[in-house]
């Protein structure tokens, strides 16, 4: 008889955003007359930029002619896209990353879940708390996290680095040395970030301790402050201690299109084994490449028209962030983030639990957000709103919150 992977049984509840979707669907069914505004999951609402649509149309036509048809994509990604990424996201920023260190994929979520396959079963992971749930959940599935304590909301074998208003949401070096450190900067869910100098300290720490940093840069396009790094490879020594994962979802609205990439420098090796070689082997075995049409769409992100259009799109969402920040402040909330990221992290009022506040906001204002506790125990007492809604909905949601 088949024995199932019983690590899955250890996972408490469903995936955070599935739980929220179910709760909202139940409320909506019971209250069909209520107009719900969704500022929960960080899903974009603006259409794809014209330059991207044009590139997709052209690629679709190419797929319809024998001479220009494309079958399986190269499993590491087409060179036209890898070169565009290397030139624009790295060389232009003075980062020493070459096209053959870039692995194109169907999205950063898949990569951030899959990357843990490169680590031994007893590798010790460290995560910020609160944290994007995929990092922890994927390690639970792999049996790397020990047992779950329902009272604390913590896994026995995970190192938590609390990020709260007391430490300005800046993770501190853990007492126990981790093997793998997950950093998402600018941060999901808190919307805060750290300076390039602080990131350099993490790179130094990882190199000194033989640890690997998994750096999730999904929100990089939203950085507005000068002293914040756009890539971890801006830091000296990052080539020997960091993997960077990037998404096209937030900078180019690809949540429904699916495209991402992971950088694994060739200098990265542990116990004499190259992680670049391992990831290439994994990619070749388990992945058949992102679709040609989508990779052409990705290339258009780096065209002059694409860049100009996406700059406007990012500005549109950051204007929403401003509306949320100012509206919440006016309503007396304590707020964070929203300057270098499209997320606003607020302190729940009157010591309300974050799920309690979720219900309160849904039922009284018909606004959906994300409870901080869903991202980890240190998220309790906080709540996340996303700036990815439409401007009209964002303004309406804030009017409703202010009227409470
Ligand atoms: C979020 O809302 O945290 C993200 O959009 C979820 C994701 O990127 O998978």
């Amino acid at each position: 008889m088949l024995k199932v992977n019983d690590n899955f049984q250890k996972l408490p509840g469903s995936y955070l955003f599935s739980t929220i979707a179910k709760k909202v669907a139940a409320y909506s069914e019971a209250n069909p007359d209520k107009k719900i505004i969704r500022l929960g999951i960080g899903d974009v609402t603006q259409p794809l930029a014209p330059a991207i649509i044009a590139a997709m149309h052209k690629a679709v036509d190419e797929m319809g002619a024998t001479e220009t048809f494309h079958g399986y994509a190269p499993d590491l990604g087409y060179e036209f896209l890898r070169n565009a990424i290397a030139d624009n996201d790295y060389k232009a920023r003075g980062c020493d990353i070459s096209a053959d260190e870039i692995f194109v994929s169907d999205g950063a979520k898949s990569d951030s879940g899959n990357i843990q396959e490169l680590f031994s079963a007893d590798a010790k992971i460290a995560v910020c708390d609160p944290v994007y749930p995929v990092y922890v959940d994927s390690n639970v599935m792999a049996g790397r996290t020990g047992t779950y304590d329902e009272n604390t909301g913590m896994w026995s074998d995970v190192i938590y680095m609390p990020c709260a208003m007391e430490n300005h949401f800046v993770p501190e070096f853990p007492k126990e040395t981790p093997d793998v450190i997950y950093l998402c900067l600018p941060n999901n869910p808190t919307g805060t970030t750290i300076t390039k100098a602080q990131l350099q300290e993490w790179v130094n720490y990882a190199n000194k301790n033989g640890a690997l940093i998994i750096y999730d840069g999904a929100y990089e396009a939203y950085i507005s402050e000068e002293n914040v790094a756009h890539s971890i490879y801006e830091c000296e020594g990052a080539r020997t201690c960091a993997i960077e994962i990037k998404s096209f979802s937030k900078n180019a609205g690809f949540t429904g299109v699916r495209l991402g990439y992971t950088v694994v420098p060739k200098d990265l090796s542990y116990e004499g084994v190259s992680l670049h070689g391992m990831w290439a082997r994994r990619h070749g075995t388990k992945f058949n490449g992102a679709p040609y049409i989508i990779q052409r769409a990705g290339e258009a992100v780096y065209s002059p028209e694409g860049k100009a259009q996406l700059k406007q799109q990012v500005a549109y969402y950051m204007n929403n962030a401003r509306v949320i920040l100012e509206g919440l402040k006016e309503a007396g909330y304590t707020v964070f983030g929203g300057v270098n990221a499209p997320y606003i992290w607020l302190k729940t009022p009157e010591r309300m639990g974050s799920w309690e506040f979720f219900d309160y906001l849904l039922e009284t204002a018909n606004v959906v957000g994300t409870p901080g506790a869903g991202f980890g125990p240190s998220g309790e007492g906080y709540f996340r709103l996303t700036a990815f809604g439409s401007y009209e909905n964002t303004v309406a949601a804030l009017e409703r919150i202010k009227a409470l």
Side-chain angles (χ1 to χ4, degrees):
M1 173 110 110
L2 170 78
K3 281 195 173 170
V4 298
N5 176 354
D6 58 8
N7 293 315
F8 279 65
Q9 312 311 314
K10 297 180 191 163
L11 285 164
S14 50
Y15 183 60
L16 172 62
F17 293 105
S18 313
T19 307
I20 291 172
K22 278 183 216 145
K23 268 179 163 276
V24 176
Y27 179 81
S28 190
E29 206 179 302
N31 301 276
D33 53 319
K34 304 283 189 201
K35 276 206 166 3
I36 295 172
I37 299 179
R38 290 174 168 78
L39 301 181
I41 190 163
D43 195 3
V44 293
T45 51
Q46 294 306 293
L48 292 171
I52 294 167
I53 291 294
M56 287 171 95
H57 280 161
K58 184 166 177 281
V60 168
D61 288 342
E62 286 179 51
M63 293 298 274
T66 314
E67 305 73 44
T68 48
F69 171 76
H70 286 78
Y72 289 129
D75 45 43
L76 306 188
Y78 282 102
E79 283 209 354
F80 62 76
L81 179 57
R82 297 166 91 197
N83 287 334
I85 294 169
D87 289 347
N88 290 278
D89 288 351
Y90 296 104
K91 289 200 178 80
R93 295 195 176 117
C95 303
D96 174 22
I97 293 295
S98 59
D100 62 357
E101 294 175 313
I102 294 163
F103 297 76
V104 174
S105 75
D106 62 351
K109 185 178 186 179
S110 324
D111 282 356
S112 51
N114 291 331
I115 199 76
Q116 48 74 31
E117 288 185 30
L118 305 191
F119 321 143
S120 72
D122 60 354
K124 195 85 180 207
I125 68 156
V127 294
C128 293
D129 172 23
V131 68
Y132 179 46
V134 174
Y135 313 149
V136 176
D137 287 5
S138 58
N139 278 286
V140 173
M141 292 171 183
R144 202 173 279 117
T145 54
T147 51
Y148 184 68
D149 182 336
E150 275 185 20
N151 296 320
T152 62
M154 290 166 126
W155 294 90
S156 60
D157 291 351
V158 172
I159 300 171
Y160 291 88
M161 303 182 291
C163 295
M165 52 193 263
E166 290 73 25
N167 62 2
H168 307 286
F169 305 97
V170 178
E172 286 154 28
F173 299 128
K175 290 192 181 75
E176 187 185 351
T177 306
D179 298 306
V180 181
I181 302 157
Y182 285 87
L183 292 179
C184 173
L185 295 165
N187 185 250
N188 178 18
T190 65
T192 59
T193 195
I194 64 177
T195 63
K196 183 174 166 184
Q198 288 170 318
L199 184 60
Q200 181 66 58
E201 287 177 27
W202 276 99
V203 169
N204 298 347
Y205 171 88
N207 273 323
K208 188 168 148 225
N209 292 288
L212 170 72
I213 296 175
I214 305 292
Y215 190 81
D216 183 344
Y219 300 94
E220 171 272 317
Y222 293 85
I223 293 172
S224 67
E225 291 180 323
E226 281 292 310
N227 60 351
V228 179
H230 287 253
S231 161
I232 194 165
Y233 302 113
E234 287 178 36
C235 296
E236 215 169 301
R239 282 186 59 86
T240 52
C241 70
I243 285 176
E244 181 162 293
I245 298 176
K246 290 289 292 283
S247 170
F248 283 75
S249 290
K250 321 290 172 168
N251 65 328
F254 277 34
T255 54
V257 175
R258 309 310 307 150
L259 192 68
Y261 68 83
T262 287
V263 179
V264 188
K266 290 186 180 153
D267 298 357
L268 213 47
S269 73
Y270 295 85
E271 299 177 312
V273 181
S274 153
L275 293 195
H276 182 276
M278 285 176 77
W279 189 242
R281 184 72 173 86
R282 187 212 171 271
H283 229 55
T285 305
K286 297 195 178 183
F287 187 58
N288 251 340
Y292 174 73
I293 298 161
I294 307 304
Q295 293 200 48
R296 281 294 182 198
E299 183 190 27
V301 166
Y302 299 101
S303 67
E305 308 76 42
K307 280 184 191 170
Q309 291 160 5
L310 292 174
K311 204 170 159 193
Q312 276 180 17
Q313 207 169 77
V314 165
Y316 174 92
Y317 291 130
M318 286 312 273
N319 187 45
N320 289 347
R322 184 191 55 77
V323 168
I324 300 173
L325 269 179
E326 287 175 6
L328 288 175
K329 277 186 201 160
E330 226 174 280
Y333 287 88
T334 306
V335 289
F336 308 93
V339 174
N340 293 295
Y343 293 128
I344 287 82
W345 190 241
L346 59 116
K347 198 88 192 90
T348 55
E350 292 151 23
R351 296 180 179 276
M352 247 192 217
S354 53
W355 280 105
E356 193 188 344
F357 187 68
F358 172 88
D359 290 334
Y360 168 72
L361 213 58
L362 177 61
E363 285 159 22
T364 56
N366 303 142
V367 171
V368 180
T370 310
F375 297 101
S378 296
E380 183 52 279
Y382 293 91
F383 197 77
R384 192 192 78 175
L385 290 176
T386 164
F388 284 125
S390 68
Y391 174 72
E392 294 72 19
N393 276 346
T394 305
V395 169
L398 266 294
E399 287 309 317
R400 291 184 194 177
I401 293 173
K402 281 193 270 182
L404 287 177

